Amino acid sequence: MARLGKVGVVGAGNMGSGIAQKTAQEGLEVVLVDLEDEFVERGVGMIRKMLEDGVERKIFKPAQVEEILGRIHPTADMNALADCDLVIEAVFEDLNVKKELFAKLNGICKPETVLATNTSSFAVEDLALASGRPRNVIGLHFFYHPAKNRLLEVIPCESSSKEALALGWEYSRRAGKTGIGVVDTPGFAVNRFFVPWLNEATRLLGEGIADAATIDEAAKKAFGIGMGPFLLMNVTGVPIAYHSASTLGEKLGEFYRPSEMLRKQFEDGAKWEIGEQADEAKFDALADRLLGVVFYVAASLEEERVASVSDIDRGAKIGLRWRLGPFEMMNRMGAEKAFATVSALTERHGLKVPAKLAELRETGGTWDIRYVDLETDGPVAYITVNRPEAMNALNPTVASQLAEAFDKADGDENVKSIVLGGAGGKAFVAGADIGFFIKNIKKNTFKNIYDFTKDGHDLLKRISASAKTVFVKMDGLALGGGLELALGAHCIVASEKASMSLPETGIGIYPGLGGMARASRYVGKELAKYLVLTGKMIGAADAHAIGLVEYVVPASEIDEKVRALAREPGRAITKAKKEKSTGGELPAEFEKIEKLFSDDSLGTLLDRENLDTENVLAQGMAKAISYKAPIAVKMANELMDEGFKLTLDEALELELSRLEEIFATEDALEGLKSVVERRRPSYKGA
Ligand SMILES: NC(=O)c1ccc[n+]([C@@H]2O[C@H](COP(=O)([O-])OP(=O)(O)OC[C@H]3O[C@@H](n4cnc5c(N)ncnc54)[C@H](O)[C@@H]3O)[C@@H](O)[C@H]2O)c1
């Protein structure tokens, strides 16, 4: 299995320094190389500046800056890359420079080192062939700024071995990136539609259809973005847009070539002039033209199997920060209208509407966007919630795809274990989609909320009752519904970086997906109440100490650990096998918390009347509870008391039974809205 230790980055410019920074931020050792000491120093200077800005914005502590910089080893000596497991090239975009570099790296690096290129316009295969180790070359295409933009295109070329590609994916995960799998083709996935989108804006300007300010505003509205195409080009450089369009045009044909307007602007070496006034009457027509380009290219990418529709959408949402991906936009608009916008374009350019889009228009169907992946490796089925742009939050579509994947794996007689995980390295599952709840509360359609939750309960019961061993790989956040989902499995393997909470009472509701009933059984009613009534976040080590998760391992070992356990599920500690871990072995702090939340003393915390003023812990807990929605706190407390006297199934039914009551409160709407509006809620107790 691929193992990633040390990473090399060649080229300490804009991209290389950012790649080194992000890689070191996530805990990996990095060798950063450039031609001259002063170039490397400049790169390290950029990194330091960004990290220090981060300290000002309270993202990092000063000590962390030194720690991160301590993991970056700057040098002008290429030989320092010899023992790296992965070397990422980010030098000038010049084919000969890159080819020579790859040949040189081949002579320096150990034979198994994988060489990755961050090229934007060359074929990965050309570099693989020039390297002398074609099997160990892949593409890793980052997006500016690589320490902030999470998207990573992971690109095997024709020669790449399975192992080299696996190392690329391991890097993606360990470096906290959202990787999308892309075939080695011009522009890969994202630039293939992003560059024509910029180009179309310049065509619209050249044709005199609207001015730059109007086009920018129309684009902002249609794509849900903060900057329109002209402002973006002014920020990132007109030359990049021009060169990218030229390269695509050379390889893919006339439609992709830079417009006259873009060429002229490039030759003039000027920025775009963007006025202040936008003409709203033109927005719809402009949006249709821009959407037509994106839909045409996205459907072509799908037809050519360059990337999956889901990954293309992720590319747009994560890499470009569009509100929706091209396929989601087409589904919302309907195939009839999407077809019309594309056929207007294909007629203008003498192209053909991609066959699948034409078929969807005939059938009235939608693009099949997957948010859950299922992969089987021998006796182990891996199910991954893959919606990293929303921290893998559950909504009805995701939940039903999850149920479908689980039932398929559960029904496969060759499968012995099932592993549930979340994509993107940041979250396992960060709860349920708040937007879905708000929409249904406002429309008074509580039944939709009930049905969604009930379906979730049914799935969790099937998971718990499965004859296979169901593992959860928790390598990031597990919040609310995400933790409740995890608790339905038999064994949770958490990375040291994982953290979890049941924050519902803070947003006006209670954990209705079995979280109260299950947590009470695994950690005891008292600590379950602590989790639910305070909503406190706990780290993996504490979760393990109180019995919420079964294993904690370093982030770099979680894949291997899960794989090993899942291959021999009989050896794993599972929730069914182990005793509730409370009683005697609890860390001292949790023993105190347990007492505070016992039937005898909880009342004091809740009414805050006879609180011991000397007891700092009790004061803190009472304060935490006081910020929560009072009805939610009361109801959750009652449900846990009643539920604890019942069987698990009865307790689960009980949680469902008061769902409508809690969602109908004013405080529920207030709490849920406060999340979307990023403000503190103000509860009335109504
Ligand atoms: N800028 C972007 O938005 C972006 C996005 C994705 C990919 N890329 C690609 O990333 C690569 C780097 O782009 P950049 O914007 O960081 O360029 P840059 O000019 O800022 O940095 C390139 C660095 O590489 C160094 N270098 C050149 N030849 C070298 C060699 N033989 N050995 C060691 N170092 C060498 C240079 O001294 C320079 O510091 C290019 O291939 C580019 O296409 C750029």
Side-chain angles (χ1 to χ4, degrees):
M1 199 220 151
R3 274 309 298 272
L4 186 60
K6 206 196 271 182
V7 177
V9 177
V10 189
N14 289 320
M15 294 302 288
S17 64
I19 295 168
Q21 179 190 333
K22 177 68 177 158
T23 308
Q25 261 171 234
E26 299 299 317
L28 288 155
E29 294 292 317
V30 185
V31 179
L32 177 61
V33 186
D34 207 304
L35 294 169
E36 311 270 345
D37 283 331
E38 74 180 276
F39 301 157
V40 204
E41 277 158 27
R42 189 187 53 199
V44 174
M46 288 196 274
I47 299 174
R48 181 178 280 282
K49 163 112 191 22
M50 264 200 81
L51 292 172
E52 283 170 355
D53 287 350
V55 173
E56 258 172 45
R57 291 189 291 126
K58 301 211 159 49
I59 300 171
F60 301 111
K61 298 196 181 90
Q64 272 176 302
V65 172
E66 297 314 317
E67 253 175 52
I68 294 166
L69 287 169
R71 280 194 286 269
I72 300 177
H73 311 287
T75 174
D77 179 8
M78 198 78 69
N79 291 309
L81 297 165
D83 63 344
C84 287
D85 301 298
L86 171 72
V87 173
I88 302 168
E89 164 279 308
V91 303
F92 300 139
E93 190 70 354
D94 176 313
L95 189 58
N96 285 327
V97 170
K98 288 193 194 267
K99 279 186 175 174
E100 274 171 32
L101 174 68
F102 270 65
K104 194 167 169 192
L105 288 172
N106 187 39
I108 292 173
C109 299
K110 59 184 179 179
E112 59 275 26
T113 303
V114 172
L115 307 179
T117 174
N118 179 40
T119 179
S120 302
S121 51
F122 306 125
V124 178
E125 182 70 7
D126 285 349
L127 297 169
L129 295 177
S131 73
R133 58 169 75 190
R135 288 175 54 73
N136 272 349
V137 174
I138 57 170
L140 289 177
H141 188 233
F142 293 77
F143 289 77
Y144 190 79
H145 184 287
K148 290 186 177 166
N149 193 318
R150 296 173 62 81
L151 188 68
L152 181 66
E153 290 178 318
V154 181
I155 309 150
C157 63
E158 244 183 278
S159 305
S160 313
S161 69
K162 234 173 87 185
E163 293 74 23
L165 182 61
L167 193 82
W169 282 107
E170 188 180 343
Y171 171 80
S172 173
R173 196 181 59 69
R174 297 267 302 280
K177 291 280 170 188
T178 298
I180 60 171
V182 180
V183 172
D184 183 18
T185 50
F188 306 127
V190 174
N191 281 345
R192 173 87 174 261
F193 61 85
F194 174 61
V195 175
W197 178 81
L198 296 174
N199 201 19
E200 187 71 2
T202 68
R203 264 195 211 117
L204 287 163
L205 183 67
E207 290 169 22
I209 294 180
D211 56 25
T214 304
I215 298 168
D216 264 8
E217 286 307 312
K220 278 161 68 178
K221 191 164 162 243
F223 293 86
I225 44 179
M227 257 192 244
F230 289 104
L231 184 56
L232 251 175
M233 281 186 268
N234 281 352
V235 173
T236 54
V238 174
I240 294 193
Y242 175 77
H243 289 306
S244 310
S246 303
T247 320
L248 287 182
E250 272 163 38
K251 296 186 176 165
L252 299 168
E254 208 48 41
F255 162 70
Y256 292 90
R257 275 191 208 286
S259 73
E260 270 306 296
M261 193 75 195
L262 179 55
R263 189 181 54 77
K264 195 171 155 303
Q265 195 74 8
F266 165 69
E267 285 170 0
D268 291 351
K271 289 196 172 189
W272 299 103
E273 265 180 43
I274 308 169
E276 301 275 308
Q277 289 289 323
D279 179 357
E280 247 180 85
K282 293 183 174 171
F283 281 8
D284 286 349
L286 294 170
D288 279 354
R289 283 278 297 262
L290 294 169
L291 288 167
V293 166
V294 168
F295 294 171
Y296 167 71
V297 179
S300 303
L301 285 168
E302 191 272 343
E303 189 163 87
E304 295 164 29
R305 299 284 179 265
V306 172
S308 70
V309 297
S310 320
D311 276 349
I312 294 167
D313 271 5
R314 271 171 213 130
K317 286 183 285 187
I318 299 168
L320 306 178
R321 305 204 166 89
W322 290 1
R323 188 173 39 219
L324 295 172
F327 294 99
E328 287 173 335
M329 287 193 262
M330 283 192 261
N331 280 354
R332 282 214 181 172
M333 179 184 274
E336 179 82 35
K337 172 103 205 287
F339 180 90
T341 57
V342 173
S343 60
L345 173 146
T346 51
E347 276 165 28
R348 271 198 310 280
H349 292 273
L351 299 165
K352 233 179 119 238
V353 178
K356 177 80 183 176
L357 182 55
E359 181 197 314
L360 292 178
R361 178 218 189 190
E362 290 299 314
T363 58
T366 51
W367 295 99
D368 182 18
I369 304 169
R370 308 304 299 175
Y371 297 100
V372 176
D373 303 330
L374 167 63
E375 261 176 80
T376 311
D377 179 14
V380 187
Y382 292 89
I383 296 175
T384 309
V385 180
N386 197 344
R387 198 187 170 216
E389 67 279 8
M391 302 271 261
N392 303 324
L394 300 173
N395 63 17
T397 309
V398 179
S400 82
Q401 289 187 6
L402 180 61
E404 195 185 307
F406 176 79
D407 291 339
K408 191 161 173 216
D410 200 34
D412 182 341
E413 59 182 35
N414 297 318
V415 167
K416 299 281 171 278
S417 311
I418 298 173
V419 177
L420 305 178
K426 257 274 187 284
F428 165 58
V429 169
D433 242 355
I434 304 275
F436 166 79
F437 291 137
I438 296 179
K439 197 170 79 190
N440 284 295
I441 293 177
K442 284 189 173 163
K443 285 200 302 191
N444 245 321
T445 40
F446 292 104
K447 177 143 192 333
N448 290 344
I449 296 177
Y450 179 85
D451 289 348
F452 170 56
T453 316
K454 172 83 170 68
D455 287 349
H457 272 267
D458 291 347
L459 171 62
L460 281 174
K461 280 187 191 167
R462 297 204 293 286
I463 290 176
S464 300
S466 173
K468 327 223 174 219
T469 310
V470 184
F471 295 87
V472 163
K473 181 180 109 178
M474 192 184 281
D475 57 358
L477 282 175
L479 303 180
L483 180 54
E484 296 183 279
L485 168 64
L487 291 175
H490 304 133
C491 173
I492 301 176
V493 185
S495 114
E496 283 167 351
K497 283 188 186 170
S499 48
M500 58 213 88
S501 76
L502 291 170
E504 283 86 347
T505 55
I507 55 171
I509 54 178
Y510 63 75
L513 198 56
M516 296 190 291
R518 290 198 174 89
S520 299
R521 278 152 183 83
Y522 301 143
V523 302
K525 189 176 81 170
E526 297 77 10
L527 289 180
K529 284 189 173 181
Y530 156 69
L531 291 171
V532 173
L533 304 184
T534 69
K536 294 249 191 225
M537 184 81 87
I538 61 168
D542 282 344
H544 181 250
I546 65 174
L548 210 55
V549 309
E550 282 62 51
Y551 295 89
V552 181
V553 293
S556 59
E557 288 167 23
I558 190 165
D559 282 341
E560 220 166 313
K561 182 74 185 178
V562 168
R563 190 188 320 249
L565 290 171
R567 286 201 162 257
E568 284 193 63
R571 291 188 174 186
I573 300 168
T574 61
K575 294 199 154 57
K577 276 192 227 161
K578 77 178 185 193
E579 294 286 306
K580 179 171 81 67
S581 68
T582 47
E585 332 149 14
L586 270 183
E589 196 199 347
F590 284 103
E591 269 192 32
K592 289 186 202 146
I593 295 175
E594 194 175 42
K595 281 206 188 84
L596 284 175
F597 284 82
S598 68
D599 289 349
D600 291 342
S601 60
L602 180 59
T604 332
L605 287 189
L606 293 177
D607 61 30
R608 299 181 83 183
E609 267 169 19
N610 298 313
L611 263 185
D612 177 357
T613 47
E614 303 286 296
N615 189 337
V616 183
L617 189 67
Q619 295 281 349
M621 295 297 159
K623 197 163 169 195
I625 298 172
S626 74
Y627 291 137
K628 312 290 165 204
I631 303 179
V633 166
K634 186 165 176 282
M635 222 184 265
N637 190 34
E638 284 167 12
L639 285 169
M640 282 188 279
D641 279 334
E642 284 173 51
F644 204 59
K645 296 177 208 144
L646 306 172
T647 65
L648 176 63
D649 278 350
E650 289 165 343
L652 293 171
E653 277 305 314
L654 187 70
E655 264 179 39
L656 267 173
S657 71
R658 296 185 75 179
L659 212 57
E660 182 162 344
E661 197 182 329
I662 190 70
F663 273 96
T665 60
E666 279 179 44
D667 283 354
L669 186 57
E670 165 64 12
L672 292 161
K673 271 172 40 189
S674 74
V675 180
V676 181
E677 293 164 9
R678 292 170 189 271
R679 59 170 173 83
R680 268 179 183 259
S682 155
Y683 294 122
K684 292 192 191 140

